[in-house]
Each structure stands twice: as C-alpha cells, then as structure tokens.
Amino acid sequence: MANIDVIFKYISLSLLLYVHTLHVRALGGGFRALGGGSTRYYEFKVQTMKITKLCKTNKIVTINQMLPGPVVYAQEDDRVIVKVINETPHNATIHWHGVRQILSCWSDGPSYITQCPIQSGQTFTYEFSLVKQKGTLMWHAHFSWLRATVYGAIVIYPKPGVPYPFKLPYEEHILILGEYWMRDVLKLEQGVIAGGGVPPPADAFTINGHPGPNYNCSNNDVYKIDVVPGKTYLLRLISATLNTESFFTIANHKITIVEADGEYTKPFTTDRVMLGPGQTLNVLVTANQHMGRYSMAMGPYISAKNVSFQNISSLAYFNYLGALPNSVAVEANLPRFNDNLAATTVMDGLKSLNSGDVPKEIDADLFFTIGLNVEKCQSNNPKKNCQGNNGGVMAASINNISFTRPNVSVLQAYYSKIKGLFTEDFPGVPLKFYDFVNGAPNTAPNNTQSLNGTRTKVLEFGTRVQLILQDTGTVTTENHPIHLHGYSFYVVGYGSGNYDPQLSNFNLVDPPYMNTIGVPVGGWAAIRFVADNPGVWFMHCHLELHLTWGLSTVFIVKNGKGPLETLPHPPADLPRC
C-alpha cells in the first residue's frame, strides 16, 4: 500500500484505481443530491473465477476476478455510483455495509428486502452519498452465501484539509479476515436448508484471501506487510467471515484501536481484538520490537455449545525490513476459542471520541429476544430433511418469530402498496417473558418451535428508539453480531444474564457509535438511534447461517415532512423479480 501522503494526493487528483471523478449531476431514478463532494464511479463485474488453494482448484464468484474484491475509495460527503454487471449464472446483489443510505434505501442491497436480485446478464447501478461518513466500512454480496467470496473494503477519507484525530501513520494497510470453502457455497446453503441441520466448518480462514502456512499447500500463500523499524502503521481490519467470529492479534505488538465501524474512538490499547462478521476496526501498530518477522494471527471465537469449527488459525506476516530472509516468525498467541472475557474486554474499552447526540428521551422502548430454535420435523424423509437437534429442523428467530423473505422486495411492496406480502405486526416485546438465559424451554424440538412470517416493525419518522437485544438459551446461548441497515446506533449498555433496567448502567456520554453489535453470549446489549431515514431497513444476525434460519426482522420508517424526509421513487433500472 502506498505511503499515506501519496494516497491523499491520489484522492485529491481522483487518480485512485477504479475511481473517476464526474460532475455532480442528477441521474435517473431516485437520485437526490446530498452534500457537496465529488462523485466516484466504479464498475463491478460479478464473475466466476478458478482459484487454486489448499491443494485444490475451485470455481468461485468474485467481483472483477479479485479476492478480496476492489477497494471503494472516497471522501466524506462524496457521491458513489457503482454499476454492477452480473456475468454469472447466479442471482446477485451488493450491500454497502455501514453506509447509512440517506434517502437512498433502493441502493441498500439486501435481496428481497430493498430489491430483487440482479439476474444473470442484467445490470443495476447503485447510487448513494456518504453523508457525514468517514473511516473503514465494507461491501459484500447479500444473496444466498455469495459473500463468502464477494466482499471488499470501503475506505472513506476525511474532507481535504481535515486531519486524522491521531498522529499521521507512516503507511496504512487493509486486512480483511475471511473464510474459505473448497466447495460451491450456493450448493452448501441449499444443502443446509434441505437437510435442516448445520453446515460443515470452513476449510480455512484467510487474511486478504491468503490462508497462510498452517494449511496444506499454503506455505507461499501468505499475506505480508513489510514495515520500517520505529514507524507506526494504520491497519484497517475488516471481518468478512461468513459463519464465524474471529480473534486477531500480532505477536509481541500492542494495537491501539482508534476507530470502530467507521467512527472515531478514544484510543484504546490492547493485545488482541475480536471481530464479528461485518465489524471493522482501525488500529495503530508501531514497529517497536527487535528486528524480525512476527505473525499476525486470526483464529475462531466460538461461544455456542457443541458446535464444530475450523480450529486452524490463519497467519500473515508483520515483517521488519532488514530482517534475515526466511527468518522464523515469532508465534502469535490467540485466546482460547471460547474465551468470552477476551471478546468482551474490547467492548469495555470502546468509547466515542466525541460525545455525539445520544438520544436522552425515548419514544419507542423495544425489547427483542434473539436466539436459535428447533422446528418439529414435517418431512416424510426425516433422515434426509430433519438433521437438526433431536430430529428437528434448525431455525432462528427474533422475539420467537423466524423471518420469511417474500418473493418481491419488502421495499417495493411497501412503496407500491402491494397487499399480502408482509404484515406490520412485529411485536415490540417478546410474546412470552421467562428466564431467557437460564430457564428457557430446551427440550428440542418439542417446545423450541418458533412462529414464521414476514412481519415488520413500523416507526414514525423521527422516533427516538431504545432497543434491548437479549440473548436466549432456548437451544444454546451464543454471541450474536446484530447488524442494522441504514443506521448506526449508540451502544449505551450491555451486560451478562437477563436485562434488568433497575441494575443496568447506561453510558449516555460517550458510547461507541456502531452498525454491528455483538450481543454477549448469555447477555444483552442496549442500543439507541433516531429513526430519521425513511425506508425499509433490515436488521439481522450477521452469521450467515443464522440469517438463513430466520434471525432477522425489518423496520419500516415512514416518511416525514418535505422532500428531505421522503423516500424518493425507485430507480428506472431496479431489478425485477
């Protein structure tokens, strides 16, 4: 990666790879100009590619035949236009994870929520403004399990002349943590749905697409950063894993978190971090150790009970320039796979750099339980179709309702007033209260059944929302990375056990401002946001398996007053089902 000074020159001259500056103009469809930045244009071709890893050649779906895909570079308040051309035989969509999509809900990307998929041979142009956004975000496919290989970074620099709130690093590098399967992930998902059970674990973890030397045929398939002794580096960490949360550490080096989910934090120094899928962290690392080669390691965080997982860590190298060639790397020490304390201590230290606008008064006080379920077997071939716990079918739910996606997007049905595709009766509190963590009915599948439906929760424009997310032990307690589309939110509190408003201590001064929160295993998290962006917004667990099983719901935020509080009409090229 180029020196940061050079990067800023590239941005100011609009010479970054794939980026072309256009005149800001109103294009067709639902475009409404916001902010005063430049417009950046990208072309994404959804393509299949043969790739050889772990001793085997596999065909995967990519963007522009790259793994990871191309980086989207922009500046705060820029307009971004991405033309997506689907050259594969599969459906596809792209979600711009963490982009708030102010008045551009049609470009959010989750299939059957805000759009129908881009079918084979079709194109769709995503358009959105990065209003008051900066930092590291990510993009990924949002159809089936394609995001196993269809993902990349979004890097949003501050406005010209606005410095980072920390000393300018010597260089910066993107590190994307991923999972890799030596099989067709679309067929893998279909098999999981048909079988009613769980998928096999990934064949490898990867750092920037490279498994590292711990895996077969991978001694030379290793990512490396060459560093100058004494210099400080900014690492943009992105979790693009599919079904696993992961720890990351660098041997013998401290890392200082300065940003989480695209928002600056007060500096917090630690020796390891945990990222759930979709989460991003910017960290500073100083090359202040003896000359040598140091491992950067990624390994699993598994909080659920009785789950099989990939236990071989992925390694990259933090390599000092001047070290002996082929020197043995200093080994990195990852936490144990089930170290819940290591997962929560990072959240303990995250505080917003600025106090922000935390809602002090609340209009809607919501309480959502999240967790797994086991449905009763309804198949005539239970050995084939009912491979879940005790001969049932695995499911997942919020407030004991498993979300069912319609065959037309919820946004299109809502905007066009199409009846019968969804209801507006998602409950604001659980249908039944009990000891969620310890006293749940857990004789699967007899009393772990969930309801099914395309239920939505409607919010008036401007509603100040508090949402308690409560983990449950119906099948097993587990850390769930919950992502809300269209918004970032303040994480004002979290803790273990059942949420008790009398005992909880909220931080309303400098809570972290995030778009994905890991709800602690056997615990709860409290978030607050103002529903000031009209549209249809998906909220779901970012473990793809849980999303497949139904751990999701939809918020509908109504229009406010005037054009700047009203969802525009759909773009002319919106894909049709």
Side-chain angles (χ1 to χ4, degrees):
M1 180 84 60
N3 183 281
I4 188 121
D5 294 328
V6 177
I7 290 178
F8 274 115
K9 290 177 183 177
Y10 274 17
I11 288 182
S12 62
L13 297 174
S14 300
L15 294 176
L16 285 162
L17 190 62
Y18 298 107
V19 180
H20 310 279
T21 299
L22 306 174
H23 295 293
V24 176
R25 56 194 175 92
L27 300 180
F31 174 83
R32 182 175 293 145
L34 290 169
S38 300
T39 301
R40 314 283 175 179
Y41 177 79
Y42 290 81
E43 187 172 87
F44 276 22
K45 292 183 178 180
V46 189
Q47 300 171 322
T48 56
M49 176 181 76
K50 286 187 177 180
I51 190 169
T52 300
K53 288 188 182 296
L54 312 175
C55 316
K56 182 182 177 181
T57 299
N58 192 22
K59 184 181 285 188
I60 62 173
V61 178
T62 64
I63 298 297
N64 298 350
Q65 298 202 344
M66 298 170 64
L67 180 69
V71 181
V72 171
Y73 288 105
Q75 282 179 303
E76 181 182 357
D77 290 341
D78 276 355
R79 186 76 177 168
V80 177
I81 299 176
V82 186
K83 182 179 181 181
V84 177
I85 306 166
N86 188 359
E87 299 180 353
T88 74
H90 315 293
N91 287 342
T93 69
I94 303 293
H95 169 53
W96 315 94
H97 186 109
V99 173
R100 290 177 201 135
Q101 299 292 355
I102 305 298
L103 301 180
S104 55
C105 188
W106 300 103
S107 287
D108 192 41
S111 59
Y112 300 108
I113 305 300
T114 62
Q115 68 168 97
C116 294
I118 307 167
Q119 298 176 35
S120 178
Q122 293 185 348
T123 66
F124 178 53
T125 300
Y126 293 91
E127 302 180 34
F128 49 87
S129 290
L130 299 166
V131 181
K132 296 181 180 179
Q133 289 199 263
K134 51 191 171 296
T136 303
L137 301 172
M138 71 175 296
W139 59 263
H140 59 77
H142 218 303
F143 177 84
S144 183
W145 288 12
L146 281 183
R147 74 174 180 87
T149 54
V150 180
Y151 58 78
I154 303 174
V155 175
I156 312 167
Y157 289 100
K159 293 179 180 180
V162 178
Y164 290 139
F166 45 82
K167 186 178 179 181
L168 192 68
Y170 179 70
E171 285 181 0
E172 58 180 77
H173 298 263
I174 297 168
L175 292 178
I176 305 184
L177 313 180
E179 288 176 285
Y180 183 81
W181 273 267
M182 293 191 292
R183 64 184 75 192
D184 186 321
V185 292
L186 293 171
K187 292 180 179 177
L188 182 65
E189 187 210 25
Q190 292 167 3
V192 168
I193 295 172
V198 299
D203 294 298
F205 295 117
T206 60
I207 299 176
N208 283 354
H210 301 277
N214 286 344
Y215 295 95
N216 291 337
C217 306
S218 301
N219 279 334
N220 296 317
D221 198 352
V222 189
Y223 188 74
K224 181 182 68 169
I225 297 175
D226 289 322
V227 300
V228 176
K231 299 295 186 181
T232 297
Y233 294 80
L234 176 67
L235 305 183
R236 298 177 181 270
L237 302 179
I238 298 172
S239 176
T241 53
L242 195 72
N243 287 327
T244 308
E245 298 177 292
S246 51
F247 291 111
F248 175 84
T249 189
I250 304 176
N252 291 13
H253 288 73
K254 294 288 187 181
I255 54 181
T256 299
I257 300 170
V258 292
E259 178 195 299
D261 280 4
E263 292 291 328
Y264 294 134
T265 64
K266 293 181 171 69
F268 173 63
T269 301
T270 179
D271 55 5
R272 74 282 186 275
V273 295
M274 193 284 285
L275 294 94
Q279 291 185 311
T280 63
L281 292 172
N282 278 7
V283 302
L284 296 175
V285 184
T286 300
N288 57 7
Q289 298 298 305
H290 296 297
M291 193 76 69
R293 173 178 286 185
Y294 296 83
S295 293
M296 298 189 289
M298 167 203 180
Y301 169 50
I302 306 295
S303 56
K305 297 180 177 67
N306 304 317
V307 174
S308 62
F309 59 93
Q310 174 58 260
N311 63 359
I312 301 174
S313 57
S314 176
L315 298 182
Y317 294 138
F318 195 72
N319 184 66
Y320 283 60
L321 290 172
L324 293 174
N326 301 319
S327 56
V328 177
V330 178
E331 188 174 341
N333 294 317
L334 286 163
R336 279 183 53 80
F337 73 90
N338 59 355
D339 191 337
N340 297 324
L341 184 61
T344 57
T345 50
V346 170
M347 272 303 298
D348 289 341
L350 286 185
K351 310 292 181 187
S352 286
L353 183 62
N354 303 307
S355 58
D357 300 312
V358 186
K360 304 298 193 301
E361 302 295 328
I362 297 301
D363 303 310
D365 197 355
L366 308 178
F367 189 107
F368 287 2
T369 56
I370 55 178
L372 306 187
N373 303 82
V374 183
E375 309 277 348
K376 291 181 180 179
C377 182
Q378 305 291 336
S379 172
N380 294 326
N381 192 347
K383 285 188 176 181
K384 181 179 180 181
N385 305 124
C386 303
Q387 299 172 10
N389 292 11
N390 296 338
V393 175
M394 299 305 298
S397 64
I398 300 178
N399 277 353
N400 207 43
I401 298 170
S402 289
F403 187 81
T404 304
R405 296 198 198 196
N407 54 12
V408 173
S409 82
V410 178
L411 178 60
Q412 194 167 350
Y414 168 69
Y415 183 85
S416 301
K417 297 181 172 58
I418 303 173
K419 302 294 184 181
L421 290 175
F422 67 90
T423 60
E424 298 182 357
D425 58 348
F426 189 88
V429 296
L431 303 176
K432 179 182 179 183
F433 277 83
Y434 53 92
D435 183 344
F436 297 114
V437 174
N438 304 301
N442 55 12
T443 307
N446 292 329
N447 50 10
T448 56
Q449 193 93 355
S450 59
L451 303 174
N452 297 300
T454 311
R455 300 196 190 186
T456 67
K457 181 64 181 176
V458 179
L459 298 171
E460 297 291 334
F461 185 93
T463 301
R464 295 164 296 184
V465 179
Q466 175 173 287
L467 172 56
I468 307 299
L469 297 164
Q470 173 70 60
D471 186 30
T472 64
T474 306
V475 175
T476 175
T477 54
E478 186 172 359
N479 193 94
H480 292 276
I482 302 296
H483 172 50
L484 175 59
H485 290 226
Y487 291 88
S488 290
F489 46 75
Y490 293 100
V491 183
V492 297
Y494 65 97
S496 59
N498 296 298
Y499 170 71
D500 185 340
Q502 304 301 319
L503 300 177
S504 59
N505 292 314
F506 284 2
N507 174 11
L508 301 180
V509 177
D510 58 357
Y513 195 49
M514 307 177 77
N515 61 61
T516 305
I517 176 61
V519 179
V521 53
W524 57 272
I527 67 174
R528 290 187 180 187
F529 65 96
V530 178
D532 56 1
N533 190 13
V536 168
W537 305 109
F538 207 23
M539 189 183 80
H540 61 91
C541 182
H542 221 277
L543 297 169
E544 203 70 17
L545 178 63
H546 294 178
L547 176 57
T548 299
W549 286 344
L551 208 167
S552 56
T553 191
V554 164
F555 285 106
I556 294 177
V557 178
K558 291 184 177 181
N559 289 333
K561 298 177 181 179
L564 293 182
E565 296 181 0
T566 301
L567 177 71
H569 60 80
D573 63 340
L574 186 72
R576 306 188 190 286
C577 291

